[in-house]
Amino acid sequence: MSRKRKVTPSDDDSVYGDADYEQKKPRKTVKRKHLLSTTPKRNKHNKGDAFDCTEGQTEGRAAMAQTMPHAAKLHVFSSQKLPRQALLEWYDGVHAVRGMPWRKPYQHSWNAEEKAQRAYEVWVSEIMLQQTQVATVIPYYNRWMERFPTIRDLAASDIDSVNSLWKGLGYYSRAARLLSGAQKAVKEFGGRLPDNAQDMESKIPGIGRYSAGAICSIAYNQCVPVLDGNVHRLLSRLLALHAPPKAKQTLDVLWAGASAFVEDAERPGDVNQALIELGSTVCKISSSCGGYTENIRCNQGTTEATSANDHELPDIEELCTLCEPLPSGAQVTAYPMKAEKKKAREELDIVNVIEWHEQNSGQRWFLLVRRPEGGLLAGLHEFPTAANVPVTPSTSSHIEIAHSLLSALLVSPPPAQLSSAGKSDDQTARRSAPQRNTGLHDSLRVTKIVPAGEVLHIFSHIRKTYRVQWIVLEGGSGDEPPALVQQPDLTAFGAAMPKTSKGKLSAKKRAKASNDAHGTPSAQATQWVRMEDVAGTNIGTGVMKIWRQVHALWGGHTYADRPDEE
């Protein structure tokens, strides 16, 4: 499959995938007045095979939709005028241009095993392409297939290995879903993804209607449609549909249009890939296009009269009740109707960079906690965090949070008090390291809690402010870091908890949730990591920002570079 999707700077779950184009509960129908206007001036077509379809192209469906009330059938493809053959001819000339290694022609001679292998390859590419550009995905896809050439190889792996390979691609829950889906396919389906869209969607975690349609049409030649952001935009323009883009009735119309393209098609996979390729490379959000063939036109299929004077109004029962009115002179780029963006919610997290300093060798260790293997930043490591705290917590509450986390994470936590070496002054923190106390070697104690500033990290739906504090431990028994609780219960600190499809944790799973929230028994939930190894651990972009922030607090120095505190 091929498409170019918007890149966002966050690590969290993709918000631009299957769930966005699932049918939802219908909205109440509202009677609307349609604006009357004159037909805007047409642009001249480009010479040759291509023409400009987005700037001023208002004939046909678009003119009817924006000048007066119109029939609902305006948004239905006529089988006689469906440009499927022209679409395939265009696609045959461009399908190899971007050099996508997952794009291979379907072979009717493939046996069941070969089709299943293609399904795995397409599945991996589809998940990687969510919210990520093709050029970015290609090297990741190649490395992935070298490491996990078959679905069985992936199923035998673990979340750390998968996240390590995924690192830098963002939206880490995608990697976790690939792993869990592969494990289920091996366990329940003989190491093959189901060979039909219905079973694939219902039985493999992380695969929705769009992904199932893409995989099954390409790998199994099944005549099932796709509807992602690119196809949504393309069909909205072809059908001149200006309606709330995520409303159930709108999606019903667009899924029906996508289904018409692949109905009884000999090459359904290529038809779907062609629709996505056209939407991603030509029919873009706002730019002019010139890459259609003569027979693929925005608002195609309607050549009847387009003005208010010669257009016969349909019966009231046949009127379209979906479309919102367009202003006079609106161009094709007005389609699809813009969705109202939800404002990202603001959250404040208190992040605790906990360090244990081994006094004899000067070795520095840092405490990391694994996130849940599902949801936001699935399976990644982070510094111990109290999530979504009140916006104006006091300094004393920060210290209290630090000691509470230490009590939850350490088998033998230190007493809840600062030594005389404890400072809360940034200048002091920059010029001096924790006190190297040669006495009381067996007594674990907190020697420093220092504010380290704030880090802003923007997810697609959350604007996170990480308020960072550096906590230094010294002492303890022996030369090893303090013993850790391997499956700590951090729910009191806002640790993510698994949820049911209705958003609430079921009573039956509540006991298991505490373990799941920070890993499973087979995956270490807490660990000490040497200072030089922190950046190479499976941490997300936001945690890396925090790590750099703390480094700035130290001025880039290590303990070996600094004199002991006076």
Side-chain angles (χ1 to χ4, degrees):
M1 294 294 289
S2 160
R3 58 209 173 284
K4 185 177 181 180
R5 297 188 172 184
K6 179 182 177 183
V7 176
T8 61
S10 66
D11 295 308
D12 79 333
D13 294 350
S14 173
V15 293
Y16 189 56
D18 290 299
D20 287 311
Y21 303 106
E22 301 295 335
Q23 281 86 342
K24 301 177 182 178
K25 292 182 179 180
R27 291 160 47 117
K28 292 183 179 179
T29 301
V30 180
K31 293 183 179 180
R32 307 181 179 95
K33 290 183 179 180
H34 288 259
L35 300 181
L36 299 179
S37 68
T38 57
T39 303
K41 184 178 179 181
R42 292 171 50 187
N43 279 2
K44 293 182 180 179
H45 291 177
N46 295 334
K47 300 292 184 181
D49 290 337
F51 72 95
D52 187 339
C53 71
T54 60
E55 297 296 331
Q57 180 68 34
T58 55
E59 62 184 351
R61 298 173 189 266
M64 295 173 70
Q66 66 179 311
T67 57
M68 59 173 44
H70 54 277
K73 67 180 181 181
L74 184 69
H75 309 308
V76 178
F77 284 120
S78 167
S79 59
Q80 290 82 10
K81 297 177 180 179
L82 193 69
R84 184 163 61 196
Q85 186 57 39
L87 180 69
L88 287 172
E89 290 173 0
W90 173 84
Y91 176 71
D92 288 341
V94 302
H95 74 280
V97 170
R98 292 198 282 170
M100 290 167 277
W102 53 85
R103 179 170 283 176
K104 303 173 184 177
Y106 177 81
Q107 301 293 333
H108 290 276
S109 60
W110 283 340
N111 59 32
E113 191 64 35
E114 290 170 321
K115 291 178 181 178
Q117 176 62 23
R118 278 294 293 136
Y120 168 64
E121 295 167 0
V122 175
W123 179 37
V124 172
S125 70
E126 280 301 320
I127 300 303
M128 286 186 171
L129 284 165
Q130 292 174 3
Q131 286 288 354
T132 311
Q133 291 182 325
V134 168
T136 301
V137 166
I138 289 174
Y140 279 91
Y141 175 85
N142 288 333
R143 287 193 294 268
W144 183 281
M145 296 310 297
E146 288 174 5
R147 179 75 176 273
F148 307 123
T150 70
I151 197 169
R152 291 183 182 277
D153 294 315
L154 174 57
S157 187
D158 57 72
I159 191 63
D160 275 342
S161 299
V162 167
N163 278 338
S164 177
L165 205 58
W166 198 272
K167 191 173 184 178
L169 200 56
Y171 297 101
Y172 288 86
S173 61
R174 296 181 294 171
R177 288 196 294 267
L178 279 170
L179 177 60
S180 61
Q183 290 171 339
K184 186 169 185 179
V186 168
K187 183 178 179 180
E188 300 181 17
F189 300 101
R192 298 176 182 174
L193 291 172
D195 61 2
N196 65 89
Q198 183 177 352
D199 286 346
M200 189 176 291
E201 181 182 356
S202 63
K203 296 179 180 179
I204 302 299
I207 294 184
R209 185 176 180 183
Y210 162 75
S211 295
I215 298 165
C216 290
S217 64
I218 296 171
Y220 297 125
N221 210 42
Q222 186 182 4
C223 294
V224 285
V226 297
L227 187 68
D228 73 340
N230 294 304
V231 180
H232 188 290
R233 179 173 60 256
L234 176 64
L235 295 184
S236 294
R237 292 174 180 177
L238 288 174
L239 295 170
L241 184 65
H242 189 258
K246 294 186 180 181
K248 179 184 183 301
Q249 290 170 302
T250 304
L251 294 174
D252 285 343
V253 170
L254 295 175
W255 275 110
S259 297
F261 267 95
V262 295
E263 185 177 359
D264 298 325
E266 293 181 4
R267 299 163 55 190
D270 284 347
V271 170
N272 282 336
Q273 290 182 98
L275 288 170
I276 295 171
E277 185 77 1
L278 190 59
S280 64
T281 63
V282 179
C283 190
K284 299 181 181 180
I285 294 173
S286 59
S287 60
S288 297
C289 72
Y292 291 82
T293 66
E294 290 182 349
N295 294 321
I296 310 173
R297 305 173 55 127
C298 279
N299 322 306
Q300 67 82 33
T302 299
T303 56
E304 292 81 15
T306 61
S307 71
N309 295 328
D310 53 12
H311 175 58
E312 183 179 349
L313 287 175
D315 292 338
I316 191 169
E317 294 84 0
E318 299 174 351
L319 281 175
C320 172
T321 59
L322 286 178
C323 287
E324 299 277 4
L326 282 165
S328 175
Q331 299 179 354
V332 174
T333 50
Y335 299 96
M337 180 179 171
K338 302 300 183 288
E340 184 178 348
K341 290 186 178 180
K342 293 182 179 179
K343 184 179 179 181
R345 67 178 185 267
E346 303 270 352
E347 290 186 1
L348 173 66
D349 290 3
I350 306 301
V351 180
N352 301 267
V353 179
I354 300 174
E355 174 182 353
W356 178 74
H357 175 221
E358 203 284 306
Q359 296 178 358
N360 293 329
S361 67
Q363 182 68 57
R364 303 174 69 179
W365 297 77
F366 291 84
L367 179 55
L368 293 178
V369 178
R370 180 193 296 274
R371 288 186 61 82
E373 293 189 17
L376 187 68
L377 304 173
L380 295 184
H381 293 87
E382 65 182 4
F383 298 110
T385 298
N388 199 17
V389 301
V391 177
T392 55
S394 63
T395 301
S396 61
S397 67
H398 288 183
I399 296 174
E400 184 179 349
I401 286 171
H403 284 292
S404 297
L405 278 167
L406 288 171
S407 296
L409 293 166
L410 301 180
V411 173
S412 299
Q417 59 184 11
L418 278 174
S419 71
S420 60
K423 310 286 183 183
S424 59
D425 173 79
D426 283 354
Q427 280 189 328
T428 302
R430 286 192 178 92
R431 70 172 181 262
S432 61
Q435 200 172 28
R436 295 190 185 181
N437 192 328
T438 56
L440 300 175
H441 184 76
D442 60 347
S443 175
L444 182 66
R445 60 203 177 278
V446 176
T447 61
K448 193 179 286 289
I449 297 180
V450 181
E454 294 184 349
V455 172
L456 176 65
H457 190 60
I458 300 174
F459 297 89
S460 58
H461 59 299
I462 308 172
R463 183 182 174 90
K464 280 275 193 187
T465 298
Y466 296 121
R467 188 167 294 168
V468 186
Q469 54 185 3
W470 173 38
I471 302 163
V472 180
L473 303 176
E474 287 187 357
S477 56
D479 296 331
E480 294 296 322
L484 298 172
V485 177
Q486 285 307 304
Q487 300 296 326
D489 183 358
L490 299 177
T491 55
F493 304 95
M497 297 289 283
K499 295 180 179 180
T500 65
S501 59
K502 294 183 179 180
K504 295 182 179 180
L505 190 67
S506 64
K508 186 176 182 181
K509 296 181 179 179
R510 192 168 289 118
K512 182 176 178 289
S514 179
N515 285 338
D516 288 346
H518 278 276
T520 63
S522 61
Q524 190 176 14
T526 55
Q527 61 177 311
W528 289 104
V529 178
R530 289 185 176 87
M531 178 179 175
E532 58 269 24
D533 297 330
V534 171
T537 310
N538 285 329
I539 58 177
T541 306
V543 178
M544 182 58 74
K545 289 180 182 178
I546 292 166
W547 183 234
R548 290 171 182 156
Q549 179 90 354
V550 176
H551 264 272
L553 183 74
W554 303 328
H557 297 292
T558 65
Y559 281 138
D561 298 324
R562 302 164 180 255
D564 290 349
E565 282 191 73
E566 298 297 324

